[in-house]
Amino acid sequence: MSPSDLEKALGERFPGCMKGRTMYVIPFSMGPIGSPLSKIGIQLTDSPYVVASMRIMTRMGADVLQSLGASADFIRCLHSVGCPLPLSKPLVNNWPCNPEKTLVSHIPERNEIVSFGSGYGGNSLLGKKCFALRLGSILAKREGWLAEHMLILGITNPQGVKRYVAAAFPSACGKTNLAMLTPTLPGYKTECVGDDIAWMRFDEQGVLRAINPEFGFFGVAPGTSNQTNPSAMATIAKNTIFTNVAKTADGGVFWEGLEKETPAGVPITSWLGQENWTKESGKPAAHPNSRFCTPASQCPVIDPLWEDPKGVPISAIIFGGRRPEGVPLIYESFNWEHGVMVGASLRSEATAAAEHKGKVIMHDPFAMRPFFGYNFGHYLAHWLSFQKKANLQLPKIFHVNWFRKDAQSGEFLWPGFGENCRVLDWVPRRCDGQDVAQVRVLSYCKRAFLNHSNFIFFLNRNRPSV
Ligand code: GDP
Ligand code: MN
């Protein structure tokens, strides 16, 4: 939208929009307060839900204001549910919002985020996708670092050697699960630094250092259980906000996947308020995108260095998506440039939008498609620029796929979850230079060519080595 259209649209929406509500002022830090990798924001909002959630997802309060001092170096965040009082029409599900007029905008020239009409996490907890990724990717380009849609994980092998990796998967492709994985192989330990966003910068020694800018986890609830993610289950046992989940009559929560954890016969109220919900209704008890919002500090496998202001050293970067066919469990790129191509050509199966039939494999470069703050060509140039800088210890780049399916049965070929430590074991070995890989250039190139011919041509023109 042109800047003048935006000014007009905001001018139509904001005057009087908080009437009758309380306006809250939230000073918050993305990243540990005072870390050279951290950034400060101040959000205005008329939603107590946002205040309570931001209290979990960010470091907020007086300490932040103190650290900011007289500086004006902060991101200005403005949010309204767009629903002044008295209401002009009744609320649906007690959820104030204004879907007809929803507008989420980022104004990099003014370091500003302005969001109207939505209470949804990504649109209203402005520290997360809006700041840490969209505006963050712009700040990162300006200042020479990386703001990415990546989990951060520490892996200790049976010999006691620890390495950290960062992994970018599109939404609903397993970041939170991998970040908290419980290894099935004896002797391995994995610890979580972050489950969604990584801010990374090369330090003076040329080591890529990563922090998790967030303070909590805003995870998808359905599918979370003691079988799939016991660490998440332990994390959400207290001090947690649940959104759009079902409730049990004994005061608990319920969603698809929690059948074993829920006492038989206890009545369930669905997320839409339907009492005595049963599976036979054919409708899910919880919204498929229902969420938990929970303090990272409560995670039993939180990494001891997760709040280290220096960040943790990253040895490898992993890309991945849902690829039912043709993409192996794991492969390694030949070098940084090739790794950038692997990230750029990331694709994943998405639930079909209305105009498509069935499930479709969509492009989601770097798992950042919804979150790029600027031109993707410039983003690629930024990533490629690190190859040319002297003395950087560039991480190795891999691609994984937990979601390959058997053509006959349609079942996943790989058990996933805790068993993914078998794949993670291979990554540090390759970083150590162990000879445990086979080169498969031709089949890979053929497939890449068929999938991404335009992109290959584009890169080849300037870089014959790729
Ligand atoms: P995020 O949105 O990227 O954080 O993804 P989540 O970790 O919340 O997982 C999204 C969905 O993928 C959930 O339904 C998980 O149960 C499922 N999932 C995660 N990891 C695996 C895996 O290794 N194998 C399989 N088959 N499913 C997985
Ligand atoms: Mn997640």
Side-chain angles (χ1 to χ4, degrees), residues 149 169-178 195-196 219-220 222-224 228-229 291 322 402-403 412 414-418 420:
H149 194 199
F169 307 160
S171 299
C173 291
K175 284 184 299 302
T176 299
N177 274 274
L178 187 63
D195 80 324
D196 197 43
V220 175
T224 308
T228 58
N229 195 342
R291 299 274 170 164
R322 287 177 182 263
W402 315 144
F403 300 96
F412 290 122
W414 179 249
F417 302 102
N420 292 337

Side-chain angles (χ1 to χ4, degrees), residues 58 278 342 345 418 436:
T58 72
T278 59
V342 169
S345 50
V436 288

Side-chain angles (χ1 to χ4, degrees), residues 10-29:
L10 297 178
E12 279 166 7
R13 284 166 173 77
F14 275 90
C17 68
M18 295 185 182
K19 192 167 165 231
R21 297 189 182 276
T22 302
M23 184 178 82
Y24 301 88
V25 182
I26 311 172
F28 64 97
S29 175

Side-chain angles (χ1 to χ4, degrees), residues 280-357:
E280 286 65 49
S281 70
K283 289 182 193 147
H287 189 285
N289 193 25
S290 55
R291 299 274 170 164
F292 54 77
C293 177
T294 193
S297 58
Q298 291 180 187
C299 179
V301 294
I302 198 75
D303 192 86
L305 294 184
W306 85 281
E307 297 202 84
D308 190 330
K310 291 197 305 291
V312 297
I314 298 296
S315 301
I317 291 172
I318 304 173
F319 294 107
R322 287 177 182 263
R323 299 301 299 271
E325 282 179 85
V327 176
L329 188 58
I330 181 160
Y331 63 85
E332 177 188 335
S333 63
F334 292 113
N335 53 41
W336 181 262
E337 283 180 334
H338 181 210
V340 172
M341 192 201 82
V342 169
S345 50
L346 194 64
R347 301 175 77 202
S348 188
E349 185 179 64
T351 317
E355 64 268 31
H356 302 291
K357 286 203 190 76

